[in-house]
Structure formats: structure tokens, C-alpha cells
Amino acid sequence: MKVISPLYLLFIFLLISNTLFAQTNRVEKVSLQLNGDYSFQFAGFIMAKEKGFYKDIGLDVTLKGYKDNIDIEDDILNGISTYGISDSSIFLSYLKGKNIKLISSYFKRSAMVIVAQENIKEPIDLVGKKLMLKDKDIFKFGFKYMFEKEGIDLQKIDLIQDKDNSIDKFISKEVDAKISLIYDETYKLDQLDIKYNILDPSDYGVFSLNMELFTSQQEVLDHKDRVKSFREASIKGWEYALKHKDEAIDIILQKYNKNITKDRLKSEIVKIEKLILPFAYKVGSINRDFLKRMKLFFRREYDLPLNRSISNFIFDTLKYSGLTRLEKEYISNKKVIKVCTNPNWQPIEFVKDGQPYGISIDTVKIIANKLDIKLDFIKTDSWIESQEYLKEKKCDILPASIKTTQRLKYANFTQPYLTYDLAIVTQSTKPFVRNLDNISDKIMSRKKGSGLIVKLKKIYPDLKIIETKGYKEAFQKVIDGDAYFTISTLPVLDYYKNRYNMKNLQIAGYTKMRYKLRIAVRDDDPILLSVISKILSIIPNETHNIIYDKWVKKEIVKETDYQLVGEIVLIAIILGLFFLYRNIELKKYTIKLEQQKELYNLVFENSSNGVLMLDVNTQKFIECNNSIVKILGFKSKNDIINMHPSQLSPKYQPDGRLSEEKSKEMIAKAIKNGSHSFEWKHLRADGDEFWAEIILTSILLDGKKVLHVVWKDINDRKQAKEELEQLNKTLETTIEQAVVEAKRKEKLLQDQSRLAQMGEMISMIAHQWRQPLGAISSSVIVIQSKISIGKFDLSKEQDRDKFLSLLNRKLNSINEYVQSLSETIDDFRNFFKPDKQKEDVNILVPIERALKIVENSMNTKGIVVKYNFNVECSIKIYKNEIMQVILNILKNAEDNFIERKIENPMIEIDLGYENNMCIIKIIDNGGGISNEILSNIFDPYFSTKDDKNGTGLGLYMSKIMIEEHHNGTLDVYNQNSGVCFKIELPK
């Protein structure tokens, strides 16, 4: 028998141990690209790295210093860096179409300012002066609006663009002012004792972004938790840096930048703290009002798409709040959704290297992010197996499924979130078809397991269908001639044509069917169906478009390419001249050309959209279809032909520009770029204005360049959008008013509760004062009686000493009683002193203060109070509020004992610690609370006491203090022969 060496076993053990250790300590490598030199402007990120805040969340962060010619946005979008720091330019890039996400914003005032000579005190003083700047775009972001607000014509200021933008030219007075970071070059001016003034855009109500942490849409989609953790760790780093400035300076000097002085960094700190404003704003918070104003400015300065919202620009980790209580509990307990996918349906959903990808996968990831729930993708080998898994409850959902009668036996379906027309795909040499009826006698190919097969068999029982393993094989069957056609959506066709160079496929026509993709949910889980449906309904179309653009390469497909037609005709003429014997071939081309022309005329005339031809030279319409005649309300085509687009438009467009002038600009863009789409206000024949979506495409017709124009009436859509925006504005105002009113009522209730408790406190103080006041009175009477009966002969030294001894004892007793009275007053004053901020204290402090207040009253009534304080729990609380809650519960118990005449009344207070929560239990033996009213005791003005003894606000305010002010819980339930109030406070 072969013996294994002990050294070999030791080696294997060490190898496994190291592997396991490495796995448990694995960290993710990410990078942050800075937009400047290492200094205090990046102290928050530096301290987050150096103090281990990033490491604590499992991230190994590389801080990358800025180098010339780095395009930070492109680096982030291309995955060269994970996160970046930038300014207002990222918001403009987002509005222009880049998929950028703003994570957090640190500067709340403009860091870019104008440093001006001593005699320039206001923007108006710059008229006729030289203003130096490095980049005109940066100037436009931060300063143009400021001058416009002040009514200053920029043409009257000498703007000098200088690549170096050196402060030396300002010092030598070659320029009168320059653009600069407020915490940068001003230090040098201060050192040289040069007088200057600062023109700060923030002082004129103009704000720009300067210290913005951002990432890509893809990073958020793939690693939402990582983005959230990175943001929180960065904010923690900034908070630490602002509290430990000297430590931050030392680390920057020792590890990051030895070319900067400590004095320079200290000067920088003062100005950066004024930019962050940590006492007015939460560090890292994003001000949407800034972004709204900036968006209006950018929309005015640039030709921007209309479909980019501020909400989609901001990284938001808030859960969706529109769920019912039952749905929230369900999601909290569910924790993970099991997903089965179609492993081979590019680009809708597919599996690559063991990971799922595609349009539907990105959609369910968004749903999971909104619900803060994890997805578990179950591996299957085929679409058929995935459906079987759902039927057998091995998975919860199918992300992209068609609702069929067969599938309704084991699944429920959400509303459609993707809708595509089903196209008839043939070889490009085949003629176009009107519908499926024309080719129902042909052979079709289709992926096995498709719900479309079942549907088609019902409509065309004799249809011959070749079932394939996947879509690629189905397309290949058409190319090889084994099948005449297949049916596909445009995204799937585009994907396979581009990926596998299947260029000889064409859309020969469309079926009357549409693919409505839904999420299929197992039929025994209606709550999950409801939750997913709600989230789907709030995902904006903009997000669906972004996902679609990510997975599908858009191509402009024209059913009739007149340039190609011209080339065919030219080739036919050449072939006719040189190859007369190819006359038969020429006839074939002629027939094909006629077919294409016939198809074009068919599509042209029967399109539901308006279609026109515009002469590029005259800029007048030379042809149109009947749909545009109906849309505009004219009698015939002749009423439109030879008209200029501006003649079918109001004099001015909504942006204030002349329609004639702007239409020329739109035409020029289409000619330059090949195509151009935009929205336009048009006029009908009766003078009514309406919105239309316009697509201009430059084509050649008989060798002449013309514009193919498509009009789509979007008036109803625009009106609905405007009404929705107005409704949102009204709703926001109503909500704000309701919030203010709710806060006012809460304050009123709190004041009423305090007044009620003040009466109870005064009663308790009066009770506590009786004994010491009686004792003081007794001491005075003893002294007076001793003197009055002549007990002491004060002429004798011995009696004088006895009298002084008695007097001293009594005075000491009186002093002790006075101290007791003073402590009672202090307790009363502290109880009603409002907490300004939370304190980190032992939870025993407010409990013992409350007990001290009621101790005398409890003892007098024979109420025994037992304590069980086995743990110490220090947490951040408003200690007077906690004392008020404890006192409330104790007083209610005392009143209940008296009302019910409970024998041997007892209260037990337990203090514990569990799951990172401090737990206080107050238990009595007062007979408990009736189940009929138990659920109502926290309602305002609900009281079981008579009108003299109860306001019904004590427990209501107690619940608010615990749950809203401390993020804890206050619950009540009957236990044994009494009731238990349970308070949970997060540590």
C-alpha cells in the first residue's frame, strides 16, 4: 500500500488554507480619477483611503492624479477608471446623450471665481477691461449667466483666452482680471500682499458644479451596492478630513504632494470649508434646484435632446416606496428572486461565459435595484428547460416571455415592457410581401419552443415550420434556401446581421402581429407579480431606450435606396452597351426595379405618417402622400406642393426663433449629417397649431439631392406631457403645503403633550416637596421651642455650646432638605429643556432620571419597581426625549394601578442588547389592556383616562419620538397579568 508523505499533506493543507484566506480577504480593485493636483481639495477621498474606510467595504482604491490631455468622461465610460471627479461639463455631456451618473456633490458654492484688481468691485466694472480665461466653455458654464443677469453685454469685455492662464500676468497688471479657483492662486496674492477683489458667481445666484463624483450608467447597473458603498465611504472620508484637518495635511504632505507647503494647505482648508458648507448642507448631498437652473441654461445655449431627465442623472439608492405594507414585508422576507432565462435569444437575453446578458436582464436588474433585492440566475440549457423550471417552481420569473394560453396554466404575466413588430425576413433577392397570407404555402424556420409557433399553427394549420436550435440557425436556413422565410423582431435581426455578417437578409414585409414581451411570474406568487408590475410601471421610457441602444446597433434601413437604383440603372446601361447578348439579364433587373418602385409607392401612399420630398435647392416640397394632406387638412396634394416648410408653420417657434430661419438650419443639418430628427410646431389649413416629429433624410433621386421628409403628429403626446408636468407642479405644491401643515400639527401635539406632562410633573414635585418642607418646618419649630422655654442659658458657656451644636445640626438638616428641593427643580428644568442635538450617552442616564422623578410618588403608593440592568448600552439619543417616553409609560402604569386598585403593584424594567439594538422593556402587573383598544393606544387623543387625567397625547408623542426622531420602534403587547412596552433603539 502506498503511504502518503506527511510533508505532502502539510503542503496541501497550507495551500488550501492560503486559498481560503485569500478568498475571505478578497477585495475589489477600483480607481478614482481626480481632475487636479493632490491637495486638500481631494482630502476626503485621500482620508477615506488612508483611514481604511474604502478597505472596510472591501475596496482597494487607486487615486489617480490628473495628467494633461486625459478625457475623464471617456475614461469612465470606457472602463479605464471606475469613478471620476469633474465639474458642470458632466451634466452637459449627460444631457447630450452620454450615460453618466452623478454619485455625490461636495461643493455648494462656485469654486471658480473672477480674481479682479482692487479697483474692480462689481461685474459692471469689467466693461472695457481685460478678463483672462483658459477655456471659454468653462467661462460659459460659470460666468456667462452672471453677466446676463447683471445686464452686461459680454461684447464690451475684452476676453483673452490664454492656455497658461498664469497669475503672473495679473500680478504685473497685464490683465485686469482672471478666472481662477478661489482656493488656488489667491494664496500667492496673499503672500505677496497684493490687494484684489473676488467676484463670486454664487453671490449673484449663479451656481456651477466643481467637485462632482460620478461614474457610468453601466457601473450602477452592474455594481449598485459597490457604488453606494463607495459614496458612503467617500462622504465619511470628507467628514473625517474636516474634523481632523491637521492629520489630513500631514498625510497629504508625507504621501501625496511634497511640493506644497503646510501654510498653503491651511489657507486652502479655510476656503474649501466655505465651499462645502458642512454646517448648512449634508456633505456630499445633491441640490436638484442647482441642476434645474443649470439645465435651463444649457437648453438655451445648446441644441439638446428633450428626453434627458435630472432624476436619471442622479444615482439614487432610495427604495421604491409605492408598495403596500404586505408587499414590503414580502420583499423583506423574500431576499432573493430566482430567475430562469432564455440562454440563446440575443440581444433580448442570452448567456455568455456563464453570465446572463441582454435587454431583459438589464431591465430586471433595475427592478432588483429599486427593490433592494438580489437576483439568483438559475442555469438552464435551453428555453424549454427554463419554462419547465418555472412550471416546477424551481425559479420565480422568466424575464422575457410571451403570454400564451399554454403558459397561463403555470404563470401570471406583468404588463408588456417591450413591444416589437414581427417582421417577415427573407433573402434580399426575394420580392416584398404584403402579409403572411401571401407566403403561407412557403416553408418557415423558427426557434424550437417559441410561443409564436403555437399561434401560427392555429392561424395557418398547413404552414410548414422547420424548428431550429436557435435564431442563428433559423436565419441560416433562410440564407441556405432550406426555408423561404422566418419571423423576427428588428433587434434580433439587427444583432445577427451585424454579428455574423448576414447581409443578404431583408425585411420583406411585416405581419399583423406584435411581440409583447412580459415578465412571467410563477402562478402561486401573486404578491411578487404585483411588486414587479409596480416597478415596471415607473421605469421611464428614457431608461428603456438607453438599454435598447446599448444592445442594438441602430441602422437606418430604407426600403428603397434611390442611389442604389441609380447605380443599377447605370450598370444596366453599361451592360446593355457592351453585352447586348445579356438582354435577358437586363429584363430581370428591369422587373426587379419595377417591383421596388411598386413597393415604394405602396409604402409611400399607405404610410400612416406624412411623407414628403423636399428639393434641397429651392427648399420647397416637390411630392407628398395622402396622409400629410389629411394631417394638414388640405383638399389635395397640389395645395402642399411648391410650399416652403415655414409656410406650414407659425411665424415663430416656441423657442422664440423665426420658423423660416430655423427651418433653414434644420435642413442644413440634415444635408451635412445625412439625417436629422427634431420636434416642430406646424400649422393646419384652418390655422390650428400642432406638434409634429420630423425626420429629414438626405437621398439622391434621379441624381438630384433631395430630402425625404417624414411627419408624425405628436400633438396629443405633447399635450399629455404638458398636462402631466402641470399636474406634477400642482402635486408638488400640495405636498409641500401638506408637509408644512403636518409639521405644524405635530409641533402643536408635542406642545400639548408637554403641557399635560408639565401638570403631572408639578403634581409630583409638590408631592416630593411635602416631606422636606415638613422637615424644615419641624427643625425651625424645635429651635424656636428650645429658645422660648429657656432650655439654654446663653450666658453660660456650656449652654451656649450645646445650643450652637443643636443649631448647627438643625441648619445642616435644613440645608440637606433645601438641596433635595433644588435637585427636584433641576430635574424638572432638565426634563423640559429641548434637546438641540443627539448625545452619545449610556441609556441608563435617561432611565434613572425618569425613575428619580417618580420614585417618591411610587413609594408613597406602595408600587415596587424592579430593575434588571445586566448590560451597558451607549447610543446617540435625545436623552430628554427618551426620559419623557419612560416617564410617560411609568405614569400610565401608576394611574392604572390606582384606577384598578391593583394589590401588590409592581413594575419591572429590563435592559438588553440584541442584533445591534438597545432594548428596553417596561412590564407591569396592572391587568393588561383590552385587545379591542390595544391597537388604538398610540392614536392621538385616544385615552382610557377621564378628561381630567388624560389628554390622549402621551403615547402618541412617545411613538413619534422613538420611531421618527430615533429610527427605533415602540410596541406594546399583553404579557401574563399585565402589559409590556418594548422600546428598540439602534446603536
Side-chain angles (χ1 to χ4, degrees):
M1 179 177 176
K2 190 174 181 180
V3 179
I4 299 175
S5 166
L7 288 176
Y8 179 76
L9 290 174
L10 178 62
F11 172 76
I12 295 298
F13 172 75
L14 290 174
L15 181 63
I16 294 172
S17 299
N18 287 335
T19 302
L20 292 173
F21 180 80
Q23 288 177 346
T24 55
N25 292 274
R26 186 175 60 185
V27 296
E28 296 181 83
K29 291 183 178 293
V30 298
S31 58
L32 172 62
Q33 177 62 64
L34 308 178
N35 64 341
D37 296 331
Y38 294 113
S39 63
F40 200 85
Q41 64 179 323
F42 303 120
F45 309 109
I46 291 172
M47 297 310 288
K49 178 178 174 66
E50 296 299 326
K51 301 306 293 183
F53 301 154
Y54 289 139
K55 186 177 180 181
D56 291 343
I57 58 173
L59 294 181
D60 179 6
V61 179
T62 300
L63 301 179
K64 300 164 73 172
Y66 183 74
K67 297 179 182 178
D68 288 339
N69 300 321
I70 287 179
D71 189 322
I72 299 179
E73 289 178 14
D74 284 350
D75 277 9
I76 301 304
L77 293 173
N78 293 323
I80 298 172
S81 298
T82 321
Y83 307 101
I85 301 295
S86 191
D87 50 31
S88 298
S89 60
I90 59 168
F91 188 35
L92 177 60
S93 296
Y94 165 77
L95 293 174
K96 287 183 175 181
K98 288 189 177 181
N99 294 329
I100 289 172
K101 280 283 188 181
L102 177 62
I103 301 174
S104 50
S105 176
Y106 295 96
F107 289 175
K108 298 299 180 284
R109 289 177 63 86
S110 297
M112 297 296 293
V113 298
I114 297 176
V115 180
Q117 300 290 354
E118 189 177 9
N119 62 321
I120 298 173
K121 299 179 180 179
E122 299 289 341
I124 192 68
D125 298 334
L126 284 168
V127 172
K129 300 291 195 299
K130 294 179 179 179
L131 173 59
M132 184 170 67
L133 47 90
K134 185 175 184 179
D135 189 308
K136 286 193 175 182
D137 280 337
I138 293 177
F139 175 77
K140 185 183 288 187
F141 292 156
F143 301 94
K144 184 178 179 182
Y145 188 45
M146 178 184 78
F147 286 107
E148 287 180 355
K149 284 190 69 174
E150 293 297 299
I152 300 170
D153 185 358
L154 284 173
Q155 299 293 328
K156 296 181 180 179
I157 300 175
D158 187 5
L159 299 178
I160 300 173
Q161 188 165 350
D162 187 301
K163 184 179 179 181
D164 296 328
N165 195 32
S166 171
I167 192 67
D168 294 333
K169 291 186 179 180
F170 178 84
I171 295 171
S172 63
K173 297 191 176 181
E174 291 179 49
V175 295
D176 302 290
K178 76 179 294 291
I179 306 297
S180 178
L181 287 168
I182 194 169
Y183 52 79
D184 189 8
E185 296 168 320
T186 52
Y187 174 77
K188 185 174 182 178
L189 298 178
D190 292 336
Q191 292 297 106
L192 296 173
D193 198 25
I194 294 174
K195 305 297 182 185
Y196 60 91
N197 286 318
I198 295 293
L199 303 183
D200 188 344
S202 303
D203 295 334
Y204 297 88
V206 179
F207 301 91
S208 59
L209 310 176
N210 292 106
M211 185 62 65
E212 310 306 298
L213 177 61
F214 75 100
T215 188
S216 64
Q217 173 86 27
Q218 193 62 44
E219 170 70 7
V220 171
L221 202 59
D222 294 340
H223 304 288
K224 176 193 170 188
D225 291 339
R226 182 166 79 185
V227 178
K228 179 182 177 183
S229 299
F230 186 83
R231 178 176 67 178
E232 291 172 351
S234 299
I235 291 172
K236 187 176 180 181
W238 268 112
E239 291 172 342
Y240 188 92
L242 294 171
K243 289 179 181 177
H244 304 84
K245 300 181 182 72
D246 290 337
E247 181 184 352
I249 288 174
D250 290 341
I251 288 175
I252 292 170
L253 291 174
Q254 293 168 13
K255 295 188 175 183
Y256 290 88
N257 192 345
K258 296 181 179 179
N259 298 322
I260 195 170
T261 65
K262 181 174 283 191
D263 286 341
R264 166 71 180 273
L265 287 175
K266 286 184 176 180
S267 170
E268 197 174 306
I269 288 172
V270 174
K271 290 165 182 173
I272 285 178
E273 195 162 24
K274 290 179 180 179
L275 295 176
I276 296 177
L277 297 174
F279 304 108
Y281 295 91
K282 185 177 179 180
V283 175
S285 62
I286 297 171
N287 192 317
R288 290 175 181 262
D289 288 336
F290 290 178
L291 296 175
K292 287 178 182 176
R293 278 181 270 175
M294 199 175 299
K295 183 177 181 181
L296 289 174
F297 173 72
F298 285 155
R299 287 282 302 277
R300 197 182 64 195
E301 293 292 319
Y302 303 94
D303 182 18
L304 298 173
L306 300 175
N307 62 343
R308 306 290 278 184
S309 66
I310 291 175
S311 296
N312 221 36
F313 176 57
I314 298 172
F315 170 66
D316 187 2
T317 60
L318 292 177
K319 293 183 185 178
Y320 174 59
S321 60
L323 303 180
T324 65
R325 182 177 180 181
L326 181 62
E327 289 169 340
K328 289 177 181 177
E329 289 176 357
Y330 171 87
I331 291 299
S332 177
N333 295 326
K334 180 76 172 170
K335 306 206 182 290
V336 64
I337 297 175
K338 294 181 179 180
V339 185
C340 289
T341 66
N342 188 332
N344 185 27
W345 194 13
Q346 294 91 336
I348 306 299
E349 61 183 30
F350 59 98
V351 175
K352 181 181 178 183
D353 299 328
Q355 296 297 319
Y357 298 96
I359 296 172
S360 68
I361 303 303
D362 285 354
T363 302
V364 294
K365 282 183 178 179
I366 290 173
I367 293 172
N369 286 343
K370 289 286 184 183
L371 295 173
D372 198 16
I373 196 169
K374 292 183 178 179
L375 299 174
D376 181 13
F377 290 97
I378 307 299
K379 182 182 180 300
T380 59
D381 295 326
S382 68
W383 173 233
I384 293 175
E385 186 177 19
S386 292
Q387 294 176 78
E388 287 297 322
Y389 270 34
L390 185 68
K391 190 185 299 184
E392 295 168 6
K393 318 306 182 195
K394 293 181 180 178
C395 56
D396 298 314
I397 65 170
L398 302 175
S401 182
I402 308 297
K403 183 164 70 172
T404 64
T405 305
Q406 187 66 27
R407 290 173 188 161
L408 282 170
K409 294 177 181 178
Y410 57 86
N412 293 318
F413 292 83
T414 66
Q415 69 273 30
Y417 67 94
L418 292 175
T419 302
Y420 299 119
D421 290 325
L422 287 174
I424 300 169
V425 181
T426 67
Q427 292 180 2
S428 57
T429 57
K430 302 297 182 185
F432 294 97
V433 296
R434 291 176 182 270
N435 51 53
L436 275 176
D437 293 339
N438 296 343
I439 54 173
S440 60
D441 59 337
K442 308 290 185 182
I443 298 175
M444 170 187 165
S445 59
R446 183 68 182 173
K447 178 186 172 184
K448 187 176 182 180
S450 169
L452 184 62
I453 294 176
V454 178
K455 190 170 185 178
L456 287 174
K457 280 291 187 181
K458 287 184 178 179
I459 303 172
Y460 305 102
D462 297 329
L463 180 64
K464 296 178 181 177
I465 301 176
I466 300 174
E467 297 189 27
T468 62
K469 293 180 180 179
Y471 288 95
K472 182 183 176 184
E473 185 181 351
F475 288 127
Q476 195 63 48
K477 291 288 184 185
V478 175
I479 294 171
D480 295 341
D482 297 330
Y484 185 84
F485 72 100
T486 185
I487 293 177
S488 172
T489 60
L490 180 60
V492 174
L493 176 61
D494 273 357
Y495 178 86
Y496 281 94
K497 282 184 69 174
N498 293 321
R499 184 174 180 84
Y500 298 106
N501 198 30
M502 295 179 171
K503 300 301 182 183
N504 54 340
L505 292 176
Q506 69 170 1
I507 294 178
Y510 286 92
T511 69
K512 295 178 181 179
M513 295 177 290
R514 309 188 83 189
Y515 239 172
K516 294 182 179 180
L517 294 183
R518 310 164 190 261
I519 296 177
V521 183
R522 51 192 288 180
D523 61 352
D524 63 341
D525 202 339
I527 299 179
L528 180 60
L529 174 71
S530 173
V531 169
I532 292 176
S533 296
K534 286 183 178 181
I535 302 299
L536 271 178
S537 68
I538 65 166
I539 298 176
N541 287 333
E542 176 189 348
T543 301
H544 287 302
N545 292 337
I546 289 172
I547 294 172
Y548 182 87
D549 290 344
K550 170 187 170 184
W551 291 105
V552 179
K553 178 182 178 182
K554 291 184 176 178
E555 293 180 339
I556 300 174
V557 180
K558 302 169 190 171
E559 294 185 24
T560 301
D561 187 338
Y562 279 93
Q563 185 174 358
L564 176 61
V565 172
E567 291 173 354
I568 292 172
V569 172
L570 181 61
I571 291 171
I573 292 172
I574 294 172
L575 289 174
L577 292 173
F578 292 96
F579 305 101
L580 295 175
Y581 65 92
R582 299 293 301 272
N583 193 35
I584 297 175
E585 294 295 324
L586 180 58
K587 287 181 179 179
K588 289 182 180 179
Y589 280 113
T590 303
I591 292 171
K592 183 175 180 179
L593 182 60
E594 288 299 323
Q595 288 175 339
Q596 290 179 333
K597 184 177 180 181
E598 180 185 351
L599 177 63
Y600 174 78
N601 289 332
L602 182 67
V603 174
F604 185 87
E605 288 300 340
N606 294 316
S607 173
S608 60
N609 296 325
V611 182
L612 309 95
M613 293 293 181
L614 183 78
D615 189 308
V616 170
N617 296 323
T618 64
Q619 295 195 356
K620 291 184 178 181
F621 296 117
I622 57 175
E623 185 58 272
C624 67
N625 68 353
N626 288 321
S627 293
I628 193 64
V629 176
K630 292 178 182 178
I631 291 172
L632 294 174
F634 285 106
K635 293 181 180 179
S636 70
K637 296 181 181 181
N638 293 331
D639 295 330
I640 300 173
I641 291 173
N642 288 325
M643 292 185 77
H644 188 277
S646 62
Q647 293 176 273
L648 298 173
S649 312
K651 186 175 181 180
Y652 295 96
Q653 287 298 305
D655 61 0
R657 295 184 61 187
L658 285 167
S659 292
E660 184 175 4
E661 175 188 315
K662 191 172 182 179
S663 65
K664 292 178 181 178
E665 181 183 324
M666 299 298 103
I667 292 170
K669 284 186 177 181
I671 295 171
K672 180 181 178 181
N673 300 324
S675 66
H676 183 50
S677 61
F678 54 93
E679 293 181 351
W680 190 266
K681 227 12 170 358
H682 271 297
L683 283 177
R684 303 190 198 276
D686 59 5
D688 284 350
E689 295 183 3
F690 72 100
W691 279 100
E693 184 179 27
I694 310 297
I695 302 174
L696 304 179
T697 305
S698 178
I699 64 173
L700 285 176
L701 183 62
D702 295 331
K704 184 179 180 181
K705 185 175 284 189
V706 297
L707 286 181
H708 180 271
V709 185
V710 178
W711 282 17
K712 184 177 181 180
D713 189 340
I714 60 168
N715 206 48
D716 292 342
R717 187 178 80 192
K718 292 289 287 188
Q719 286 181 354
K721 182 180 179 182
E722 290 171 0
E723 290 172 2
L724 182 59
E725 289 175 351
Q726 183 60 39
L727 180 62
N728 286 338
K729 290 179 182 177
T730 305
L731 186 59
E732 286 177 5
T733 304
T734 304
I735 290 172
E736 288 175 1
Q737 292 172 349
V739 169
V740 171
E741 178 64 15
K743 288 182 178 178
R744 185 188 71 79
K745 288 182 179 179
E746 181 181 330
K747 179 67 168 59
L748 180 61
L749 291 174
Q750 195 166 4
D751 292 343
Q752 289 177 348
S753 175
R754 287 234 165 186
L755 287 172
Q757 287 194 314
M758 186 180 291
E760 293 177 348
M761 286 290 291
I762 291 172
S763 174
M764 285 187 281
I765 288 171
H767 188 85
Q768 285 186 253
W769 275 24
R770 285 196 185 98
Q771 192 270 335
L773 285 175
I776 291 171
S777 177
S778 175
S779 297
V780 172
I781 290 171
V782 168
I783 295 170
Q784 288 176 338
S785 65
K786 295 292 184 182
I787 294 174
S788 63
I789 64 175
K791 176 73 175 176
F792 301 103
D793 185 353
L794 298 180
S795 62
K796 296 179 181 180
E797 183 178 354
Q798 186 177 3
D799 281 2
R800 284 200 305 275
D801 290 341
K802 290 181 179 179
F803 175 74
L804 289 175
S805 175
L806 171 67
L807 184 62
N808 188 51
R809 289 197 308 275
K810 294 301 180 183
L811 288 176
N812 285 337
S813 296
I814 290 171
N815 184 55
E816 289 176 2
Y817 296 139
V818 169
Q819 289 297 322
S820 175
L821 296 176
S822 177
E823 288 176 3
T824 305
I825 289 296
D826 285 341
D827 289 339
F828 178 82
R829 185 184 63 215
N830 288 335
F831 177 77
F832 288 100
K833 185 189 296 180
D835 290 311
K836 291 185 179 179
Q837 60 184 15
K838 288 184 179 180
E839 298 179 60
D840 197 349
V841 298
N842 192 318
I843 193 64
L844 289 175
V845 173
I847 296 175
E848 290 174 344
R849 284 189 180 179
L851 288 170
K852 185 178 179 183
I853 290 173
V854 299
E855 181 179 21
N856 195 284
S857 176
M858 293 281 188
N859 291 338
T860 303
K861 295 178 176 64
I863 300 171
V864 177
V865 180
K866 292 184 177 181
Y867 320 103
N868 183 15
F869 300 155
N870 294 327
V871 297
E872 288 198 4
C873 192
S874 294
I875 56 174
K876 279 197 172 184
I877 56 171
Y878 298 109
K879 61 183 178 183
N880 286 342
E881 287 193 358
I882 299 299
M883 181 172 72
Q884 184 176 346
V885 172
I886 302 293
L887 196 60
N888 235 319
I889 296 171
L890 293 175
K891 279 297 295 174
N892 284 344
E894 179 184 333
D895 293 343
N896 181 62
F897 288 145
I898 295 170
E899 182 180 340
R900 294 189 175 183
K901 298 178 182 179
I902 301 297
E903 294 184 4
N904 303 317
M906 183 180 71
I907 296 174
E908 181 179 347
I909 303 176
D910 292 339
L911 178 62
Y913 182 76
E914 185 178 336
N915 295 330
N916 217 28
M917 303 284 283
C918 283
I919 301 173
I920 306 168
K921 291 183 180 179
I922 302 175
I923 309 163
D924 67 32
N925 62 343
I929 301 173
S930 170
N931 290 330
E932 294 179 357
I933 64 171
L934 187 63
S935 61
N936 301 325
I937 66 170
F938 293 115
D939 294 345
Y941 301 111
F942 181 85
S943 176
T944 58
K945 305 175 186 178
D946 57 38
D947 293 340
K948 294 180 181 179
N949 295 323
T951 64
L953 292 174
L955 289 178
Y956 169 70
M957 293 308 302
S958 296
K959 195 166 184 70
I960 287 177
M961 290 175 187
I962 295 297
E963 296 189 352
E964 295 187 13
H965 298 183
H966 290 86
N967 295 321
T969 59
L970 172 58
D971 292 319
V972 62
Y973 51 87
N974 288 317
Q975 179 175 312
N976 298 330
S977 59
V979 69
C980 174
F981 283 87
K982 182 179 180 182
I983 301 170
E984 293 187 352
L985 296 169
K987 187 169 174 61

